[in-house]
Amino acid sequence: MLPLSLADLVERVGIADLGAEFDTLLQRLYPICRSITGQGVRDTLAILAESIPLQVHEVPSGTPAFDWIVPREWNIRDAYVKNSRGERVIDFKKSNLHVVGYSIPISQKMSLAELKQKLHSLPDQPDWIPFRSSFYRDDWGFCLTHRQLQELPPDEYEVVIDSTLADGSLTYGELFIPGATSEEVLFSAHVCHPSLANDNLSGISVATTLARYLLARVRAGLTPRFSYRFLFAPVTVGSITWLSRNEETVKRVQHGLVLTLLGDPGQIHYKRSRRGNAPVDRAAVHVLQSAGVPHVVEDFLPYGYDERQFCSPGFDLPVGCLMRTPFQRFPEYHTSGDNLSFVRSDKLTDSLSKLLAIVDVLEHDATYVNLSPKTEPQLGRRGIYRALADRGSDGGNEMAILWVLNQSDGKHSLLDIAERSKLKFEQIRGAARLLEECGLLRREPLGA
Amino acid sequence: MLPLSLADLVERVGIADLGAEFDTLLQRLYPICRSITGQGVRDTLAILAESIPLQVHEVPSGTPAFDWIVPREWNIRDAYVKNSRGERVIDFKKSNLHVVGYSIPISQKMSLAELKQKLHSLPDQPDWIPFRSSFYRDDWGFCLTHRQLQELPPDEYEVVIDSTLADGSLTYGELFIPGATSEEVLFSAHVCHPSLANDNLSGISVATTLARYLLARVRAGLTPRFSYRFLFAPVTVGSITWLSRNEETVKRVQHGLVLTLLGDPGQIHYKRSRRGNAPVDRAAVHVLQSAGVPHVVEDFLPYGYDERQFCSPGFDLPVGCLMRTPFQRFPEYHTSGDNLSFVRSDKLTDSLSKLLAIVDVLEHDATYVNLSPKTEPQLGRRGIYRALADRGSDGGNEMAILWVLNQSDGKHSLLDIAERSKLKFEQIRGAARLLEECGLLRREPLGA
Amino acid sequence: MLPLSLADLVERVGIADLGAEFDTLLQRLYPICRSITGQGVRDTLAILAESIPLQVHEVPSGTPAFDWIVPREWNIRDAYVKNSRGERVIDFKKSNLHVVGYSIPISQKMSLAELKQKLHSLPDQPDWIPFRSSFYRDDWGFCLTHRQLQELPPDEYEVVIDSTLADGSLTYGELFIPGATSEEVLFSAHVCHPSLANDNLSGISVATTLARYLLARVRAGLTPRFSYRFLFAPVTVGSITWLSRNEETVKRVQHGLVLTLLGDPGQIHYKRSRRGNAPVDRAAVHVLQSAGVPHVVEDFLPYGYDERQFCSPGFDLPVGCLMRTPFQRFPEYHTSGDNLSFVRSDKLTDSLSKLLAIVDVLEHDATYVNLSPKTEPQLGRRGIYRALADRGSDGGNEMAILWVLNQSDGKHSLLDIAERSKLKFEQIRGAARLLEECGLLRREPLGA
């Protein structure tokens, strides 16, 4: 199969300017007030469904999901704090971060002192509104900049949250792209954060773009080796609910990645799966190492995003996490600073290119057998050196040829060879393709 | 079982001042002239028997012990070198180091030149008397400071050693504290060095104090998981003799430590067992690493104290060695400089606290099974976060909770989890206890 | 068996001055115009056959050898470029590097411009003649210094190469020295480079000297444990041809080394076999590490000399490569700078001494069982300490004695023990011999 690449993506999907495409999608998604349930998730999935055939699932409140229960659905229409002159001093319509997520409805007058019990701000980041929520306990609150908090005068305030917390459903979106085998690759992005760009929209955008690309390839007859599954779900309870309804499905998951925090200017990070050295871990590490750019590989930690659930001991799926700066390590995290200007489309593009390279390794890793294993074959006679020159670096180079021949004893895959030789996977793969064409190599059946 | 700790020890044993307790014991033991056999060992064990129910064994001279034979018993009453004016210029009664250990009796007049053939001193440490012995060959000698040696005038000297070397027995002490299982932990300290404080008395004192503590816990109903065995024996031939009489016993030894050199001001050192990564090795390394203080972990070497015998290939017991500065690496080693002022009670206390922490790991390491292994359980609903806050660091923390849940698949013990998470064992253990109380974890049967 | 050593070699072979011996051999071999076939190889082997009973094999042109075919035989009598005054401006008789190896015959007049198409020089090394060849394509050419090339005036030149390229045979030499077992050690040196000293003659000389030594030992009744096979063959097609005729033989190869580039002044290098940690790799690494001199150990790479063929996946022989500066990493490589003054006899001697030490490890590695495995035996009673003093360092030292006793449980060989103890193999071996003599150790049967 043709290698996956940014250039091929842009051409095949028919995108004029990938950066502008990212910007447009983020601008549409950013204003929506998402939470773990409610209309915000539905509106988000509806926008994604314009470009990918997303299947939207609704799971009723009260449905058990392992140790959890699908919570009541939260919806909000308006919320504000008005001063005695009737001015909205805190206004949900200006920023949905102003309201604590999952706030119960309220309509009440109160003094500044009473109000302050329910206000949240960041003394160390006085110009940013924090993001807070009150899942699983009936509470309410407002968030605002610390600067504004300090300037609030004593007054009688009217506090209104026009929300509902009632039986409804939890919503998630799923896209399945069948491949040549029923073995699956799982990508997961969370869709439950309101106006936060990196911590939500970056992963959603990159995942959607990858899905568009794979679909375009399928339409062109380039059926992938694996089947691909994309999950857009609220964090924690969303992935838990999905897992509880897909216990059989996940037995087919061979590789997986949680996609999040992919648009900030930091270095790219890969967090290993619980298994530590699963093929997806090795593929990701190889791609980052051979890209020759600063990057960080971190060990698994049972904390973070939905890899916590995928890597719980009852599943132990080979799912890692691809991101740039990890959560809590950038000051904008969970504040209004994580906005559209914090996320850069060139960084989203760079993240996507690394993701494509990882998928390319997973798709094309294979084990070959050298059909002329006793001493080296006479390459000159077979025109290999001439072919190498003709194809350029895509066709591998002489060292890649020699490594593939030497290691193709049926026990080493192309990724094994790339790791041992310290050559790039694409070089090794190019060499293998050339040797296969010359009849010097036979590909072992998949799964052998 | 309650964690082992210095505070619990002091309270339970009823010690007003642990440092003073160490000092008193050392002061009583220091003047005794110990050797590999003889009354000195008996006097030493008698003092220990005042606080622990020590069983004293006497093995007759001539008894075979593997490749060895229990030697004749050595006893000494007096020894001196008198000058022609009848003054004792070298006097055993001032320091028992003055006589070469195991010296045969002698009574003779000789010139300075003849005498010098039998004198030992340390030119590089001119103020210290060396410690020498002449086991397994009939010889005699005196030790003195190099300063004194150089000042000895030509004279006719009277040389007297009033010793006996005759059939008798080899003496060792043993204490067995039965636990919930017949699996044993072995602690060994040597008792054959005369007035040397670090290289003998430090290990004896720490071992005795640990034994008093375990006994006090048993009296309070806190039966340990393991049975504990304490051996106080002469180095080499003592442990060899004990091993020869306890071949069945040692099959039950699951963990062991040689305790020696525990009172000097140097960093704490742990020397691994021959196995290299036995549970006792991992427990000791974890305790020293997580204590966050400078320390040294050394690989096994078939040289040192009685770990040489315990780790001989016919036994290969999982016995390491806990010490501060290893032998031969401090100038006071085997000299009169290794005296009561060299050994500090605060260092003995520190060594004991590390030992307690190691025992605590061995006692409490266990494997658990997460009973809600598919995705994370809903901890908030179960009051875990509240319990964490109530219990403080003893109850683990949120990361410890998540690690224990994630790794408790029946294949990883608490020590495994502490190692992987880089959290302290006590945190991991506290988290496991809390989760077990909540019904989220089941402890696997011991030995499973 | 007596250890192998330079001193023993010199005495047993009867060499007055090893350095001079190397110099003489190199001086005789240097002028010969070797190639992958032809009289040059035969002349070379004939010189070696004066000191070792070499069996010379001739394999006819056209014989298939795996994916290869034995090429036509190349011979050359004369070659030159004459100017219009009849002067030989490029003369094969002055340096056989002047002619591109395997040049077809030619006799023609041409202008400077035409001639230059066929001239090779090194602009960066203007005083050296490059070494070039044109195997497997019918071509011809001359090599000369860049300085000379630049000074060639326009003229009509007469170009003559009096060579033949015709059916004949490929020649290689082989020496087999039977040992106590049919298991073999293989040494290989290539013999196909013309006047290049390090890249050819150094390996040939060291291999020949080792063979002389082993033969002398056999004559003295010191039959080696292994059988030894020396191969002197043209690189690539030579070893491929040999392998194709010896598929059964190579199944007996337990260890092997390619010997090349052993006379330059650089650090000694060891390149691991494809297996990476075969006994020969461990022996070589141990020898270089314990020699305490700067050295480099490199991982296997399917590029270099005939280890490429021996380590092809269909054979995967445990064959490493011993050299000093690897090919392409010294400026003299494949130029007239790689001449007799570049190769130093003291470096050849040093390389040989390392090789002897490696062979010594392979010959003497064995597994022993401690017959007194429970606790340490009483060494003093058995006179071990006295024996240690008598024998000096050859008999090991006390630590070596203790390590051998401790590790000889039938699972650890002497090389294992040397690696773990970080003592020299010869110390460990000496200790084992001493303990065996005392009846404390029993050697396990070979191959057990």
Side-chain angles (χ1 to χ4, degrees), chain B residues 10 12 38 94 104 124 168 186 213 277 370 380 385 394 409 430 447:
Chain B
V10 165
R12 228 172 259 286
K94 288 193 180 154
I104 55 174
D124 291 343
L186 173 68
Y213 180 34
N277 211 23
N370 179 343
Y385 295 120
D394 253 24
D409 51 8

Side-chain angles (χ1 to χ4, degrees), chain C residues 140-177:
Chain C
W140 63 271
F142 281 87
C143 300
L144 71 172
T145 70
H146 197 63
R147 206 171 299 283
Q148 188 184 4
L149 175 65
Q150 288 179 306
E151 289 166 0
L152 276 186
D155 200 348
E156 192 190 46
Y157 291 96
E158 182 194 356
V159 180
V160 170
I161 298 180
D162 178 14
S163 66
T164 46
L165 195 55
D167 279 351
S169 61
L170 179 148
T171 312
Y172 65 79
E174 198 172 359
L175 170 65
F176 180 70
I177 305 174

Side-chain angles (χ1 to χ4, degrees), chain B residues 121-142:
Chain B
S121 72
L122 298 167
D124 291 343
Q125 303 284 5
D127 292 317
W128 288 338
I129 308 165
F131 164 52
R132 292 284 150 77
S133 53
S134 65
F135 305 137
Y136 312 112
R137 60 192 148 87
D138 283 359
D139 202 354
W140 63 272
F142 281 87

Side-chain angles (χ1 to χ4, degrees), chain A residues 85-367:
Chain A
R85 285 177 310 229
E87 297 161 344
R88 289 190 169 206
V89 296
I90 306 176
D91 186 358
F92 169 74
K93 298 207 183 292
K94 288 193 180 155
S95 168
N96 56 38
L97 296 178
H98 276 313
V99 176
V100 167
Y102 254 65
S103 279
I104 55 174
I106 187 160
S107 177
Q108 201 177 316
K109 294 205 172 182
M110 58 183 69
S111 70
L112 177 62
E114 287 169 301
L115 177 61
K116 276 190 169 173
Q117 306 288 324
K118 295 298 194 180
L119 298 183
H120 306 272
S121 71
L122 298 167
D124 291 343
Q125 302 284 8
D127 292 316
W128 288 339
I129 309 164
F131 164 52
R132 291 286 149 78
S133 53
S134 65
F135 305 137
Y136 312 112
R137 62 195 145 85
D138 283 358
D139 202 355
W140 62 272
F142 281 87
C143 300
L144 70 174
T145 70
H146 196 63
R147 206 170 301 282
Q148 187 186 5
L149 174 66
Q150 287 180 306
E151 290 166 1
L152 276 187
D155 199 349
E156 190 189 50
Y157 290 96
E158 183 193 356
V159 179
V160 170
I161 299 180
D162 177 14
S163 66
T164 47
L165 196 54
D167 279 352
S169 61
L170 179 146
T171 311
Y172 65 79
E174 198 171 358
L175 170 66
F176 180 69
I177 304 174
T181 67
S182 64
E183 298 190 327
E184 294 191 12
V185 182
L186 173 68
F187 294 104
S188 165
H190 62 283
V191 293
C192 53
H193 285 26
S195 292
L196 295 175
N198 199 34
D199 188 4
N200 214 0
L201 306 184
S202 68
I204 295 169
S205 310
V206 168
T208 303
T209 310
L210 173 60
R212 289 172 69 188
Y213 180 35
L214 292 175
L215 288 163
R217 287 174 67 101
V218 168
R219 280 193 303 271
L222 294 167
T223 306
R225 163 184 176 180
F226 291 106
S227 295
Y228 284 80
R229 190 176 296 274
F230 290 81
L231 178 63
F232 299 91
V235 84
T236 306
V237 71
S239 60
I240 290 171
T241 301
W242 180 80
L243 281 163
S244 74
R245 294 155 57 97
N246 289 277
E247 291 203 58
E248 285 309 306
T249 297
V250 296
K251 289 178 183 165
R252 297 194 293 273
V253 171
Q254 302 298 308
H255 316 289
L257 287 174
V258 168
L259 300 174
T260 182
L261 305 174
L262 289 166
D264 65 271
Q267 289 177 16
I268 200 142
H269 282 60
Y270 179 72
K271 174 182 163 182
R272 292 177 185 275
S273 75
R274 180 181 187 266
R275 299 188 190 176
N277 212 23
V280 70
D281 299 318
R282 293 174 51 210
V285 170
H286 176 77
V287 163
L288 299 189
Q289 283 180 349
S290 64
V293 294
H295 65 274
V296 180
V297 175
E298 304 207 332
D299 284 335
F300 177 74
L301 191 79
Y303 200 57
Y305 292 93
D306 284 330
E307 68 275 15
R308 292 165 68 160
Q309 313 309 329
F310 299 127
C311 297
S312 58
F315 289 108
D316 194 23
L317 298 180
V319 175
C321 180
L322 189 70
M323 53 197 157
R324 301 190 80 90
T325 310
F327 75 101
Q328 294 180 341
R329 296 195 218 161
F330 54 95
E332 296 82 357
Y333 174 74
H334 274 199
T335 76
S336 57
D338 179 4
N339 53 34
L340 290 177
S341 64
F342 178 59
V343 164
R344 288 165 42 182
S345 60
D346 63 323
K347 294 301 172 183
L348 291 169
T349 302
D350 177 71
S351 302
L352 176 59
S353 78
K354 300 294 184 295
L355 177 60
L356 293 179
I358 295 169
V359 175
D360 195 61
V361 173
L362 298 175
E363 276 288 314
H364 297 106
D365 193 22
T367 300

Side-chain angles (χ1 to χ4, degrees), chain A residues 67-68 247 274 308 312 314, chain B residues 373-374 376 378 381-382:
Chain A
D67 195 55
W68 298 63
E247 291 203 58
R274 180 181 187 266
R308 292 165 68 160
S312 58
Chain B
K374 291 182 176 174
E376 293 171 7
Q378 198 178 355
R381 174 161 64 81
R382 295 162 183 279

